[in-house]
Amino acid sequence: MEQTVLVIDFGAQYAQLIARRVREAGIYSELVPHTISRAELEAKKPAAIILSGGPSSVYQENAPTFDAEIFESEIPTFGICYGFQAMAQALGGVVTNTKEREYGATLLNVEVKSKLFESLDPQQEVWMSHGDAVTKAPTDFVVTATSAGAPVAAFESNLKPFAGVQFHPEVLHTTNGQKVLEKFLYEIAKLKPTWTASNIIEDLVVKIKNQVGSEQVICGLSGGVDSAVAAALVQKAVGEQLTCVFIDHGLLREGERAQVENDFVKATKVKLVVKDEAKRFLTALKGTKDPEEKRKIIGREFIRSFEDAASEIREKSAGEIKFLVQGTLYPDVVESGHGAGTATIKSHHNVGGLPKDLKFELVEPLRTLFKDEVRKVGKLLGLPNEIVERHPFPGPGLAIRIVGEVTEKNLEILRAADLIAREELTKAELNQSIWQFPVVLLAEVRSVGVQGDGRTYGHPIVLRPVSSEDAMTADWSRLPYDLLAKISNRITNEVAEINRVTLDITSKPPGTIEWE
Ligand code: XMP
């Protein structure tokens, strides 16, 4: 069994990021809730434990608690921020509300030789976010670092493989964050990096074979990386038993259908059924401008189209199809488990997907993976770069990037502008440096312009490049002005209906990534 680092979750956002960083270090990692007992934890046989940060103070009335008995075991343990303070308190140290919040980039002073900071600079920038501070380390712990607001900014046990830090090693603002985390994993917990794309594939192929046996499997492709990689894995595991379905709802970007029909099929040799349903979706969307209404219509039509395709395949193969492949990722699994209290901002996760009551059992080979791992797996499976490195694209497609009615004409305008933006981004080799680049057509708005000798009265296009780690929060990407100028010139020259190009400079929150 794969060695596992369990991250005890005191606040989902931090915890997920920690698990990702551990995996980047080549070791499998999963989240567990802070309510887990010592016995439950030990039953999972973790190779190490990390106590995550969290938004609370250990003194707060409803502060998340945990079973402090876990410290009686010998499992290597690393506390981060809130987890560090909880650890200090449970082991007899002192946590004080110093009334001095330390937030943001802070200078850390390494005070003594230590495993965590071995061969790193004695002064380094770290990211802090705390109100309370550990003012006394537990007995048998050495204080290895300090900062202006944290007299104990890191400690290590003399007796057990225990250590902790007040700062956040998982965020990129902490210069040596990944190195510190790796020192804990490799030097204190003595783990070896074995979680690699080829091991992941081997592992998943066996799991899929065991689940599916000799039954028939169906998979809906969206053109996106998740469904493509999920399908490629199932294809590798059970080959002939898999049939993929691609519903062309007419709301795709230029070239996307061809990519699936040609490149994906060539790379994987999957059996593919393509359904051209553009007319059906456009007819159903006629006259609709409301974003949620559009999503509902698309969701409904998508399910119907998929069901039609499935019954055709059933008839042809004269057999039952027992399984449906879905490209669910680990963050979706975590978020649906932790979902209580998180507001649904947009009803997106069921759009462009399929409802659970379709009469299939689900095969979800990517359930344990983060997006970057999915990409690595996809590359190793030989999928084309254009698919593996594709930005996320919403299930309802261009329909939610047209503010106004979805018509053939509007789709054509948006497709042309979107293609230019993508081409120029790729040419500038900045594709991988941003998360997503929606291009939005304001079909309801017109503005006056001048072109050649004449007055124009065209539509504006909005460029919405964003940087993000997980789409939960995002910032607008600072793309080079030259690139923006190029995109703007080309769009206004080449797309007759567009006479104005604007840049969206709103972060998320408050703005969402998509406009609808
Ligand atoms: P927002 O706009 O909520 O988007 O900031 C967050 C991420 O989700 C994608 N998105 C969707 N994906 N169906 C999908 O499959 C949807 O209805 C949908 N709406 C938004 C969006 O592209 C971004 O990556």
Side-chain angles (χ1 to χ4, degrees):
M1 203 184 96
E2 192 67 49
Q3 48 182 3
T4 301
V5 172
L6 292 180
V7 177
I8 298 188
D9 182 357
F10 289 115
Q13 251 187 41
Y14 302 91
Q16 259 197 59
L17 198 52
I18 296 168
R20 271 179 55 190
R21 300 287 181 239
V22 174
R23 292 192 194 190
E24 277 165 27
I27 295 155
Y28 182 68
S29 178
E30 268 182 19
L31 307 191
V32 290
H34 63 86
T35 47
I36 194 167
S37 69
R38 176 186 175 185
E40 286 166 330
L41 195 79
E42 283 177 350
K44 288 178 174 280
K45 299 199 179 4
I49 299 168
I50 297 181
L51 306 171
S52 90
S56 313
S57 146
V58 286
Y59 290 121
Q60 229 165 306
E61 207 166 293
N62 296 322
T65 50
F66 69 104
D67 185 352
E69 271 193 34
I70 59 171
F71 294 120
E72 315 226 327
S73 76
E74 296 291 325
I75 305 167
T77 303
F78 188 42
I80 294 176
C81 193
Y82 179 85
F84 168 69
Q85 297 181 358
M87 188 174 182
Q89 199 183 39
L91 292 171
V94 178
V95 181
T96 313
N97 189 329
T98 52
K99 304 248 173 352
E100 266 177 58
R101 241 172 93 72
E102 199 172 31
Y103 184 82
T106 307
L107 213 51
L108 183 84
N109 297 302
V110 177
E111 303 290 348
V112 291
K113 199 172 149 50
S114 70
K115 286 185 181 148
L116 279 187
F117 301 106
E118 170 74 47
S119 75
L120 301 180
D121 286 345
Q123 276 208 324
Q124 44 192 293
E125 201 162 274
V126 297
W127 191 262
M128 291 282 197
S129 170
H130 63 110
D132 302 341
V134 177
T135 43
K136 187 171 172 289
T139 328
D140 299 322
F141 274 72
V142 182
V143 177
T144 57
T146 58
S147 75
V152 182
F155 58 42
E156 279 173 40
S157 164
N158 285 325
L159 305 177
K160 288 191 174 190
F162 289 176
V165 293
Q166 178 60 66
F167 58 89
H168 286 277
E170 74 277 19
V171 305
L172 298 176
H173 309 283
T174 297
T175 318
N176 290 322
Q178 188 65 11
K179 287 191 185 137
V180 169
L181 188 63
E182 287 176 3
K183 299 241 182 229
F184 166 73
L185 297 168
Y186 305 153
E187 309 304 331
I188 296 181
K190 309 273 183 221
L191 302 178
K192 297 264 176 301
T194 56
W195 177 249
T196 59
S198 69
N199 289 348
I200 299 174
I201 294 174
E202 245 171 66
D203 223 52
L204 292 176
V205 163
V206 173
K207 282 197 185 121
I208 297 166
K209 278 189 179 149
N210 288 342
Q211 186 187 0
V212 168
S214 57
E215 301 289 344
Q216 293 293 313
V217 193
I218 193 170
C219 175
L221 294 177
S222 66
V225 50
D226 304 343
S227 61
V229 174
L233 274 168
V234 176
Q235 171 72 16
K236 191 174 165 72
V238 296
E240 278 300 293
Q241 290 155 247
L242 172 70
T243 309
C244 288
V245 177
F246 182 61
I247 309 283
D248 180 355
H249 54 17
L251 310 167
L252 296 164
R253 294 177 296 180
E254 192 62 43
E256 287 185 318
R257 172 166 167 179
Q259 223 166 52
V260 174
E261 269 184 315
N262 307 329
D263 308 351
F264 181 73
V265 170
K266 205 161 125 204
T268 56
K269 316 272 180 306
V270 295
K271 260 186 284 173
L272 176 70
V273 174
V274 178
K275 301 282 289 175
D276 192 340
E277 299 278 26
K279 284 237 158 57
R280 173 183 196 149
F281 280 82
L282 265 185
T283 311
L285 283 166
K286 201 168 165 29
T288 306
K289 292 180 180 173
D290 179 74
E292 288 301 285
E293 199 54 35
K294 286 180 186 171
R295 278 194 171 74
K296 275 194 202 120
I297 294 169
I298 294 165
R300 185 189 69 213
E301 294 304 319
F302 188 83
I303 292 161
R304 286 186 187 156
S305 309
F306 194 86
E307 279 173 337
D308 290 353
S311 37
E312 279 169 33
I313 294 166
R314 232 176 253 129
E315 269 165 37
K316 261 194 217 141
S317 67
E320 248 334 283
I321 303 166
K322 190 163 172 204
F323 291 100
L324 171 73
V325 181
Q326 286 217 312
T328 319
L329 302 191
Y330 191 53
D332 304 332
V333 175
V334 173
E335 266 136 42
S336 51
H338 288 258
T342 10
T344 310
I345 314 258
K346 293 180 193 172
S347 55
H348 51 227
H349 286 299
N350 51 2
V351 175
L354 294 162
K356 293 244 157 72
D357 60 357
L358 272 185
K359 293 172 200 68
F360 298 110
E361 269 176 50
L362 294 182
V363 182
E364 298 179 301
L366 313 180
R367 260 185 93 81
T368 56
L369 305 186
F370 287 107
K371 193 93 180 181
D372 47 333
E373 294 171 322
V374 171
R375 293 209 161 103
K376 279 187 202 144
V377 165
K379 267 189 201 155
L380 202 62
L381 287 170
L383 299 189
N385 263 352
E386 294 72 42
I387 293 182
V388 174
E389 275 163 13
R390 212 179 78 139
H391 292 161
F393 185 64
L398 298 180
I400 57 164
R401 293 184 180 171
I402 293 173
V403 178
E405 194 182 350
V406 185
T407 61
E408 216 151 335
K409 183 69 193 165
N410 284 341
L411 282 166
E412 196 186 298
I413 299 171
L414 179 53
R415 243 180 228 128
D418 173 84
L419 181 64
I420 292 170
R422 279 191 290 149
E423 276 175 359
E424 292 303 328
L425 189 73
T426 307
K427 251 192 247 161
E429 296 183 1
L430 290 172
N431 227 17
Q432 288 315 299
S433 68
I434 67 171
W435 172 264
Q436 238 178 319
F437 192 174
V439 174
V440 180
L441 173 65
L442 304 186
E444 299 270 276
V445 180
R446 278 177 183 276
S447 75
V448 175
V450 54
Q451 223 157 2
D453 297 329
R455 172 189 186 274
T456 59
Y457 194 45
H459 296 291
I461 274 279
V462 181
L463 306 177
R464 174 73 168 134
V466 291
S467 304
S468 174
E469 289 232 25
D470 51 15
M472 305 275 285
T473 60
D475 195 9
W476 59 281
S477 307
R478 275 55 165 181
L479 290 182
Y481 280 175
D482 287 350
L483 170 61
L484 293 170
K486 189 90 192 278
I487 294 173
S488 168
N489 284 340
R490 274 196 64 195
I491 292 180
T492 46
N493 280 330
E494 296 173 34
V495 189
E497 296 79 359
I498 306 293
N499 64 353
R500 205 171 283 275
V501 177
T502 67
L503 178 66
D504 183 345
I505 52 167
T506 323
S507 59
K508 171 184 178 176
T512 50
I513 294 175
E514 304 289 348
W515 267 50
E516 293 203 327

